């Protein structure tokens, strides 16, 4: 189990990127959702022991990972947000190189690399230079290196950036297919990346934990609060100024704006089912004070 207790991170320029963060994770897929700059990578780097908290502790099975990180690092697979590959190496060469860096037994690693090449659908490209790979293929190499040691805790930071819609879908299916006995933490600023696969969502905004709950709990918390209102274009600004609003769609009869509000915002408003995007907009809105508890 991974436990994050009262963790804050202040960078050397005195900027607090994460404040008083608390989280306990057991196995399953967790979606770490937050805008650019929210503090997702900061949190992930600390869990991966490549950065230290300024305050608080992170423990893995009860052991402080910044005092003794060996156990965690053996159990860890990490795909950082900016992951460089060596363009002249082939997939197999690169994975062997990474396995050596990780200190894995080479005989076992070669078998594992073979398995991963198939799991990640890279067989046809396995002996070609990574420099010629598409964005999606490079991302799969990144995942493969993170899975080399069959990690108990897998951290993938913004893995879908730069992927096309098909590659995105394939990536989601891949994450879903991974064995469920590990903790998988996946960060993204794109709601649809975690909507289908994550069992739990961590919403993070400006370095603060806004909520940590099951996907469906998040949706339930907004039940009866999401509305669609048909209005004229000239009224949109007023609605946006007064309410927390989401998508605006142009239809032949006028503009339809999504509003999140406890009370009915307009006479003609019709109640609709909440989506994860609504929850994200609501819990990260400046118009709303406080967090979910
Ligand atoms: N090394 C650093 N020094 C100073 N500020 C940083 C550093 N790294 C990140 N930040 C700032 O901390 C905030 C959170 O960054 P980050 O964790 O990368 O966010 P996210 O991954 O959610 O986009 C941002 O405002 C970013 O500019
Ligand atoms: Mg980031």
């Amino acid at each position: 189990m991974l436990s994050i207790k009262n963790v804050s991170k202040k960078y050397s320029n005195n900027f607090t990127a994460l404040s008083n963060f608390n989280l306990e994770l057991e196995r399953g897929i967790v979606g770490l959702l937050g805008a650019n700059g929210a503090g997702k990578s900061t949190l992930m780097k600390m869990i991966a022991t490549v950065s230290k908290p300024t305050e608080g502790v992170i423990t893995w099975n009860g052991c402080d990972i910044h005092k003794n990180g060996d156990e965690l690092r053996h159990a860890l697979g990490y795909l950082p947000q900016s992951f460089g590959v060596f363009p002249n190496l082939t997939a197999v060469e690169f994975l062997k190189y990474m396995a050596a860096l990780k200190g894995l037994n080479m005989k076992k690693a070669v078998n594992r690399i073979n398995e991963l090449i198939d799991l990640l659908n890279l067989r046809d490209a396995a002996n070609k230079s990574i420099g010629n790979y598409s964005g999606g293929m490079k991302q799969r190499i990144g995942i493969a290196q993170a899975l080399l040691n069959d990690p108990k805790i897998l951290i993938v930071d913004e893995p879908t950036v730069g992927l096309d819609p098909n590659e995105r879908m394939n990536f989601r299916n891949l994450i879903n297919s991974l064995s469920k006995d590990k903790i998988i933490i996946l960060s993204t600023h794109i709601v649809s990346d975690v909507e289908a696969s994550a069992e739990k969502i961590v919403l993070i905004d400006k370095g603060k934990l806004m909520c940590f709950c099951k996907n469906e709990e998040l949706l339930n918390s907004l039940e009866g609060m999401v509305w669609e209102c048909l209005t004229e274009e000239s009224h949109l600004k007023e609605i946006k100024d007064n309410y927390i609003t989401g998508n605006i769609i142009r239809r032949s009869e006028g503009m339809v704006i999504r509003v999140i509000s406890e009370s009915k915002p307009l006479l003609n408003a019709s109640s609709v089912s909440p989506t994860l995007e609504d929850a994200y907009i609501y819990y990260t809105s400046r118009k709303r004070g406080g967090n979910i508890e």
Side-chain angles (χ1 to χ4, degrees):
M1 190 170 82
L2 183 77
S3 163
I4 297 165
K5 284 195 193 113
N6 305 322
V7 164
S8 297
K9 176 74 187 184
K10 201 186 239 187
Y11 283 112
S12 50
N13 61 357
N14 251 352
F15 179 78
T16 301
L18 210 69
S19 43
N20 205 14
F21 215 87
N22 287 287
L23 202 59
E24 298 218 324
L25 297 178
E26 286 180 42
R27 67 202 184 101
I29 305 175
V30 182
L32 181 55
L33 193 57
N36 287 325
K40 304 180 295 295
S41 297
T42 298
L43 178 64
M44 292 179 131
K45 282 185 221 164
M46 289 192 289
I47 300 173
T49 73
V50 295
S51 164
K52 273 188 183 162
T54 337
E55 278 170 55
V57 279
I58 303 179
T59 60
W60 169 251
N61 296 333
C63 176
D64 181 340
I65 62 168
H66 293 98
K67 289 212 172 103
N68 183 354
D70 290 351
E71 199 192 327
L72 173 98
R73 284 186 213 112
H74 278 299
L76 176 74
Y78 178 37
L79 176 61
Q81 183 163 1
S82 39
F83 176 70
V85 289
F86 299 110
N88 295 325
L89 298 188
T90 67
V92 171
E93 287 165 348
F94 178 69
L95 292 173
K96 279 188 183 164
Y97 177 73
M98 292 305 286
L101 285 187
K102 285 175 195 234
L104 302 180
N105 170 306
M106 255 314 155
K107 217 169 167 188
K108 282 191 192 155
V110 168
N111 290 334
R112 179 70 180 152
I113 289 168
N114 239 323
E115 280 171 25
L116 288 169
I117 293 277
D118 284 331
L119 178 71
L120 294 153
N121 219 353
L122 287 164
R123 180 58 64 197
D124 292 345
N127 294 308
K128 293 183 186 146
S129 306
I130 302 175
N132 298 323
Y133 281 20
S134 69
M137 287 161 80
K138 281 187 189 141
Q139 206 58 285
R140 280 182 268 151
I141 287 285
I143 298 285
Q145 66 78 29
L147 292 173
L148 274 169
N149 55 340
D150 193 14
K152 286 272 166 265
I153 170 164
L154 176 67
I155 299 178
V156 281
D157 193 355
E158 302 258 9
T160 61
V161 167
L163 301 190
D164 68 30
N166 272 325
E167 289 175 332
R168 272 204 143 79
M169 185 188 66
N170 289 338
F171 177 79
R172 285 201 292 266
N173 291 341
L174 167 70
I175 289 291
N176 272 330
S177 71
L178 294 177
S179 103
K180 297 289 181 282
D181 67 350
K182 38 176 130 269
I183 298 178
I184 300 178
I185 311 174
L186 189 165
S187 82
T188 181
H189 61 279
I190 300 160
V191 174
S192 55
D193 281 350
V194 288
E195 197 151 36
S197 46
E199 290 129 78
K200 287 189 172 174
I201 302 285
V202 172
L203 258 182
I204 171 169
D205 188 40
K206 296 212 159 148
K208 293 208 170 82
L209 175 70
M210 304 309 284
C211 76
F212 170 47
C213 58
K214 287 191 178 145
N215 222 329
E216 58 265 29
E217 283 169 353
L218 205 50
L219 299 183
N220 288 343
S221 71
L222 256 65
E223 201 55 61
M225 286 173 61
V226 186
W227 312 84
E228 274 187 358
C229 315
L230 179 66
T231 185
E232 289 160 26
E233 197 151 5
S234 56
H235 287 157
L236 286 178
K237 184 175 181 313
E238 193 190 335
I239 298 173
K240 284 204 257 176
D241 286 347
N242 288 300
Y243 292 98
I244 298 172
T245 56
N247 270 339
I248 301 172
I249 303 165
R250 185 183 293 278
R251 294 219 186 108
S252 53
E253 62 271 33
M255 308 302 282
V256 176
I257 184 166
R258 219 167 158 93
V259 175
I260 307 164
S261 160
E262 277 176 35
S263 57
K264 196 171 183 172
L266 291 179
L267 271 182
N268 75 356
S270 51
S271 178
V272 291
S273 296
T275 62
L276 193 55
E277 187 166 74
D278 296 322
Y280 176 75
I281 290 169
Y282 181 69
Y283 289 112
T284 58
S285 169
R286 300 287 156 266
K287 295 195 184 101
R288 205 189 63 90
N291 61 10
I292 192 171
E293 288 101 356

